[in-house]
Amino acid sequence: MSLHMASSIVRSCAQQPRPCHAGRGLVATTCRAGMGRHDPGSQPSKSWKTAPIALCLSLCMTSGAWARLEGVNQPNLLPQGSEITPLIDVANFLTETEETRMRDRLQHLEKDTGIKFRVLAQNYPDTPGLAIKDYWSVDDNTVVLVADPTFGNVLNFNIGINIDSFIPRNFWSKVAGRFGNKFYVEEQGRDVAIINAVAAVDHCLREPIDRTQCSEIRGELE
């Protein structure tokens, strides 16, 4: 990634309507894929092209200072085989049983709602990085959760603009703040943090759209 591109990406992230707090993962905790609101019935936007997952490889740090990270693209760390899995745990944070249950949950969510929820557990720089964009066919109807304890909050979300148009703006930061903070992860474990975050998002995306939507953060292992 060139310095010019990195600085442009940082400016794009900084212009988001709400704070952009990134960890050293692939994406920012509350950084959205697109600008403004979007009508789900209109033509799909190009937000994942104009604000790609590389968006927050240039970090918005919680101190307000900016730091740049070189882009990572390691397709060799992607799962092998023809079947596409919604969960990639290159850091081995989850047990086999936890992985199986989470894959089932993610697949059922997509079948029931049409929303693609994808989870990547990593330890930067040991990550497939930008390779997940093509692997998962990331688009405006995709939520990507990157769990990475390398820096700051463990839970980082990138939200497709179609989803951002109907989910309350503070929901993602509330999930990250509750389950991804350092003290919670140290006490409960990384696997519990990821499982509860996935459960909270699953519950939210299934709720009817009204003024109370997603107001309650509900984990699974609480």
Side-chain angles (χ1 to χ4, degrees), residues 5-193:
M5 180 181 295
S7 62
S8 297
I9 290 170
V10 166
R11 286 196 299 273
S12 173
C13 196
Q15 292 166 356
Q16 299 296 325
R18 46 185 182 178
C20 182
H21 304 302
R24 189 174 289 204
L26 207 56
V27 290
T29 301
T30 57
C31 200
R32 292 180 289 161
M35 302 289 290
R37 313 298 274 178
H38 179 70
D39 179 3
S42 64
Q43 284 294 106
S45 75
K46 304 297 184 182
S47 61
W48 283 97
K49 295 181 180 179
T50 58
I53 289 180
L55 180 71
C56 287
L57 280 169
S58 299
L59 296 186
C60 330
M61 298 182 69
T62 54
S63 65
W66 296 99
R68 283 190 292 267
L69 294 176
E70 289 295 324
V72 178
N73 187 13
Q74 301 186 88
N76 58 297
L77 293 182
L78 292 170
Q80 302 302 308
S82 57
E83 183 178 358
I84 303 299
T85 173
L87 166 66
I88 301 174
D89 183 10
V90 293
N92 294 317
F93 293 156
L94 303 169
T95 66
E96 289 187 12
T97 300
E98 290 170 338
E99 286 190 20
T100 299
R101 293 183 62 189
M102 187 171 293
R103 285 193 184 95
D104 288 344
R105 184 167 204 157
L106 297 171
Q107 289 166 348
H108 279 104
L109 177 66
E110 183 173 359
K111 180 180 179 181
D112 295 342
T113 67
I115 296 172
K116 296 190 294 186
F117 186 13
R118 304 293 184 252
V119 178
L120 170 64
Q122 66 175 40
N123 263 314
Y124 183 89
D126 297 325
T127 170
L130 299 178
I132 68 168
K133 182 176 179 239
D134 290 334
Y135 176 79
W136 279 332
S137 299
V138 173
D139 58 20
D140 290 341
N141 293 312
T142 306
V143 175
V144 179
L145 166 60
V146 179
D148 189 333
T150 309
F151 181 85
N153 196 295
V154 170
L155 303 175
N156 304 276
F157 291 98
N158 198 317
I159 305 101
I161 196 170
N162 288 348
I163 300 163
D164 181 66
S165 68
F166 67 89
I167 298 298
R169 291 188 171 188
N170 64 351
F171 170 74
W172 310 102
S173 57
K174 286 168 67 175
V175 173
R178 179 167 179 178
F179 299 126
N181 70 79
K182 176 182 177 182
F183 303 104
Y184 185 90
V185 174
E186 287 181 350
E187 181 176 333
Q188 302 294 330
R190 296 166 182 169
D191 58 337
V192 173

